Amino acid sequence: MFGVDDSRRESIEGSRRNSMELVGAKAGTAMPAEMRQALNLKGLVPASIENFPKQELRAYEQLMSKSTNLEKYEFLAILRSTHVNLFFRLVIRHFKEIAPIIYTPTVGEACLNYSHIYPFLYPFRTSIGLFITLEDANDIDTVISNYCSSSIDMVHPEIAVITDGSRILGLGDLGVNGMGIPIGKLQLYVAAAGLNPRRTLPIVLDFGTNSKRYLNDPLYLGTREERPDDKTFYEATETVLTALHRAFPELLVQFEDFSTDHAFGLLDQWRNKILCFNDDIQGTGCVILGGFISAVEQAGIPAQDHRILFVGAGSAGVGVAKQLVEYFTVEHGIPEDEAKAMFWFVDSRGLITANRGDRLASHKVYFARSDNGDTQCESLADALEYVKPTALIGLSTVYKAFNERILTRMSEINAENRPIIFPLSNPETKAECSFEEAMRCTGNRVLFASGTAFPEYVIPETGEERVPGQGNNMYVFPAIGLGAVLCKPTHISDTMIYAVSKALANSLTSEERELGELYPRIERIRQVAAELAAALIVQAVREEVVLDKHWITIVHRSMPETAGDQGKQPDGRVSRRVVGEVKTLMWSPPSSVEQYIVEAMTTIDPDDV
């Protein structure tokens, strides 16, 4: 006769009680009477039993009572640590309002102060991710083992965002304080695209910092030494990534906010070895291309007549420009050399030319002009007069680089067409101009997209309200992550990223197009994410690199034209069947306490024997 001995029965009962206590604590004031009774809580907690909407109302009220965005960030971080489902219900319901708090621009302020606020945001023994030093890299298997054992349900992560904090937003080298970025991005993966929060892993490579501010800060929580040389950096990074891939073979890795040279170096080294992408290079290029496609359609001049001036020549700027070159080549049949000749770059030393007299960084060489003769432009104003651009794109992190003089001159140069102005640096304190400034200086004709959120602008003469386009990566990186996690491609190709850009442009509603908007309304982001993820999956199926056969069947049955057409240029088109399947697999927080308890207990209750 099979049975359970007393000690085993006691162990199971104890585990169940511990599980019930954990689930009950997360339910909070919505804990049912039966659970309160079982946990002997009668008289120990307020008697009122609430539903989830009432909990959300109270949490939102508390959030709105905070006087600064940093205080709101801190409140939300604590809520995320203690009530993950309530946190994501709140974020999803108020996404437009909360996204700028948990991510740009407020996350920048939080990162600057991270060592000072971190102990008050998370319980000390609660794992929020991996903090890996150079010393830890030599014992990385122990670190990963510690992480796995700290997980209640032992679920392996399916997506990781990893940074070394060396180039956080436009704020520079923040060292371990950069951990706020992976945490914030993964919250957007969950809220915008329905990744499972239990299967996300933020990682910071705490390899030191070259910032004297933090090296001299007595409260800095990171390694107090300068960054290592390239050889040491790449060896340690290889050790970490190899171990992560060995432990979690299906893990998607997103590289984030590495210094420019390391960003390109890591992507080149790993893109065909593990499932990975770099959001600064590929994600930024993807989202800007999506908006730029819409802008070109509305600008009023032929595509081949555009002259595009970039201000800022880091990894993001060059990555964006290469995506745009591909667009002109693929969509408009312009040869690559001619498409490349439509672009000019300005960096801190002026117009980038082959004969400027300085040694150019390797990533700048592709766009260096060799047709300038003896002309050298030392300032943006000089370059504006020389290039006479139809589009001005800023990734300089120089606040107000597009001043009134620059914006007015852009309007004059483009008197016969609508000027395209994209100030993409963030946070707001690094933005090249605001939406209001661009509207005023161009007579309300500007085709505008920014990297940070700006308020709507009311045209004084007509009272008409205009909505600024926000070329924020959060439109695309959550969808790229969702699509890759679902279909498990062997790698993420440039053409998959291009398909996502096309899908982003395709996602505009007729109303949004009529209003001249370049991006879908942020309130629709989960629907848009499903469409973009589906576009990546369809393109991956076309390229015959999908490991999950389920998606091959769905795509071929609902889009039979995709079978055997891997050579076709991506168009971003998807079927309702593929989008619908993606939606069914997107995580959402439980909508009722009954649903939450059933799901939670099923997840963490030990199996009976």
Side-chain angles (χ1 to χ4, degrees):
M1 181 175 181
F2 296 94
V4 182
D5 61 35
D6 290 343
S7 60
R8 176 60 175 151
R9 185 179 292 107
E10 289 177 4
S11 175
I12 291 173
E13 290 175 354
S15 295
R16 281 179 172 163
R17 180 176 177 82
N18 290 338
S19 298
M20 190 184 298
E21 289 176 349
L22 179 62
V23 172
K26 298 292 184 181
T29 55
M31 188 191 305
E34 298 82 357
M35 183 173 283
R36 298 180 183 209
Q37 183 73 23
L39 294 174
N40 302 319
L41 293 177
K42 184 178 179 61
L44 303 184
V45 295
S48 178
I49 299 176
E50 299 183 318
N51 57 22
F52 277 3
K54 190 168 289 187
Q55 286 185 334
E56 291 173 35
L57 179 63
R58 179 180 290 105
Y60 184 74
E61 178 187 75
Q62 285 299 303
L63 177 66
M64 291 297 100
S65 73
K66 308 304 177 185
S67 58
T68 69
N69 282 339
L70 184 58
E71 289 176 343
K72 292 178 180 178
Y73 176 94
E74 292 170 342
F75 171 79
L76 290 169
I78 295 169
L79 185 63
R80 170 67 177 83
S81 296
T82 54
H83 294 284
V84 62
N85 287 289
L86 175 56
F87 170 81
F88 282 112
R89 291 201 306 274
L90 198 67
V91 174
I92 291 171
R93 187 177 299 277
H94 303 278
F95 188 85
K96 181 179 180 180
E97 195 171 5
I98 293 179
I101 299 173
I102 61 175
Y103 199 57
T104 58
T106 306
V107 72
E109 183 182 0
C111 285
L112 288 171
N113 297 281
Y114 208 69
S115 287
H116 293 251
I117 63 177
Y118 168 86
F120 310 108
L121 303 182
Y122 318 104
F124 185 71
R125 295 198 62 176
T126 298
S127 172
I128 63 166
L130 301 184
F131 296 80
I132 302 173
T133 66
L134 282 173
E135 181 180 348
D136 293 332
N138 295 322
D139 192 22
I140 188 61
D141 289 334
T142 298
V143 173
I144 294 174
S145 175
N146 290 342
Y147 164 75
C148 291
S149 63
S150 71
S151 174
I152 295 172
D153 42 26
M154 298 293 289
V155 174
H156 284 184
E158 56 190 8
I159 182 169
V161 176
I162 183 170
T163 186
D164 70 344
S166 57
R167 191 184 60 85
I168 296 298
L169 301 175
L171 303 173
D173 183 353
L174 303 190
V176 78
N177 294 331
M179 182 52 136
I181 297 298
I183 290 173
K185 296 208 89 152
L186 286 168
Q187 289 170 353
L188 293 183
Y189 273 106
V190 175
L195 274 292
N196 190 326
R198 293 165 45 241
R199 305 192 68 179
T200 63
L201 177 58
I203 303 173
V204 62
L205 302 177
D206 181 18
F207 291 176
T209 177
N210 293 335
S211 169
K212 299 299 182 184
R213 169 182 175 178
Y214 296 116
L215 290 174
N216 295 327
D217 182 353
L219 297 182
Y220 179 61
L221 289 171
T223 300
R224 292 178 182 276
E225 57 187 46
E226 293 188 350
R227 293 188 176 276
D229 58 32
D230 282 355
K231 181 176 182 296
T232 304
F233 170 84
Y234 280 111
E235 287 177 351
T237 305
E238 180 167 7
T239 299
V240 171
L241 291 173
T242 300
L244 285 170
H245 183 63
R246 183 171 60 247
F248 315 119
E250 296 182 343
L251 181 70
L252 168 64
V253 174
Q254 187 225 293
F255 297 113
E256 177 71 20
D257 284 351
F258 285 85
S259 64
T260 297
D261 290 344
H262 288 169
F264 281 104
L266 288 171
L267 183 60
D268 290 343
Q269 179 182 0
W270 290 98
R271 65 184 306 172
N272 293 315
K273 293 181 180 179
I274 63 174
L275 188 59
C276 67
F277 76 104
N278 182 299
D279 184 49
D280 301 304
I281 299 172
Q282 296 163 289
T284 302
C286 179
V287 74
I288 301 312
L289 174 56
F292 194 82
I293 291 171
S294 299
V296 168
E297 293 173 353
Q298 300 179 43
I301 59 174
Q304 65 270 19
D305 292 343
H306 277 282
R307 300 164 65 85
I308 303 152
L309 180 59
F310 273 75
V311 183
S315 59
V318 172
V320 169
K322 287 185 175 180
Q323 291 268 15
L324 299 188
V325 168
E326 183 180 11
Y327 160 70
F328 284 115
T329 301
V330 171
E331 293 296 317
H332 299 283
I334 302 172
E336 182 180 347
D337 286 346
E338 294 179 24
K340 183 177 71 171
M342 297 165 64
F343 292 79
W344 288 258
F345 272 81
V346 170
D347 63 9
S348 59
R349 300 192 60 176
L351 190 69
I352 296 178
T353 64
N355 62 348
R356 193 168 67 175
D358 60 329
R359 183 178 178 180
L360 296 176
S362 58
H363 68 279
K364 297 182 182 182
V365 173
Y366 180 80
F367 286 106
R369 304 296 300 199
S370 57
D371 59 352
N372 57 300
D374 295 328
T375 302
Q376 304 292 341
C377 301
E378 296 184 358
S379 68
L380 172 56
D382 292 341
L384 201 71
E385 293 302 326
Y386 175 69
V387 176
K388 292 185 169 49
T390 59
L392 183 63
I393 299 178
L395 283 157
S396 66
T397 71
V398 178
Y399 184 59
K400 302 297 184 186
F402 301 169
N403 56 36
E404 183 174 348
R405 175 188 171 192
I406 296 295
L407 294 172
T408 301
R409 186 62 184 134
M410 267 296 290
S411 183
E412 294 169 351
I413 291 170
N414 295 280
E416 302 300 319
N417 53 273
R418 298 181 67 182
I420 299 172
I421 299 175
F422 283 16
L424 300 176
S425 296
N426 56 50
E428 185 177 349
T429 55
K430 302 289 183 179
E432 287 81 6
C433 71
S434 69
F435 182 48
E436 178 181 353
E437 291 162 346
M439 289 288 284
R440 284 193 292 101
C441 292
T442 63
N444 307 317
R445 297 183 306 115
V446 67
L447 292 165
F448 179 94
S450 59
T452 194
F454 285 110
E456 292 80 2
Y457 176 71
V458 177
I459 300 174
E461 295 80 7
T462 65
E464 180 183 358
E465 183 178 86
R466 295 285 182 86
V467 178
Q470 187 182 1
N472 193 303
N473 293 27
M474 68 182 173
Y475 274 112
V476 298
F477 71 75
I480 293 170
L482 176 63
V485 164
L486 290 180
C487 76
K488 299 176 175 56
T490 57
H491 64 281
I492 297 175
S493 66
D494 289 339
T495 42
M496 291 179 208
I497 301 293
Y498 188 88
V500 173
S501 295
K502 289 287 291 182
L504 179 60
N506 296 342
S507 71
L508 288 169
T509 65
S510 56
E511 179 186 2
E512 289 163 345
R513 294 180 192 279
E514 289 171 4
L515 292 172
E517 295 175 14
L518 305 184
Y519 292 98
R521 296 290 176 94
I522 201 70
E523 293 86 350
R524 297 196 301 114
I525 194 163
R526 280 178 74 93
Q527 169 65 30
V528 171
E531 295 174 12
L532 270 56
L536 183 140
I537 291 170
V538 169
Q539 185 60 31
V541 169
R542 278 185 170 140
E543 295 176 20
E544 299 182 349
V545 296
V546 170
L547 298 179
D548 189 335
K549 307 303 181 185
H550 170 71
W551 291 101
I552 298 174
T553 301
I554 291 177
V555 171
H556 285 170
R557 285 181 177 175
S558 64
M559 303 176 69
E561 70 277 10
T562 59
D565 71 346
Q566 59 265 42
K568 180 182 177 182
Q569 294 295 344
D571 55 17
R573 299 192 183 280
V574 296
S575 69
R576 290 183 180 178
R577 175 72 177 87
V578 179
V579 175
E581 184 70 9
V582 169
K583 283 184 175 181
T584 64
L585 296 171
M586 292 170 67
W587 179 89
S588 293
S591 58
S592 69
V593 67
E594 293 80 12
Q595 179 190 359
Y596 164 67
I597 290 174
V598 169
E599 291 182 2
M601 292 300 291
T602 301
T603 299
I604 66 176
D605 199 20
D607 291 334
D608 208 340
V609 294

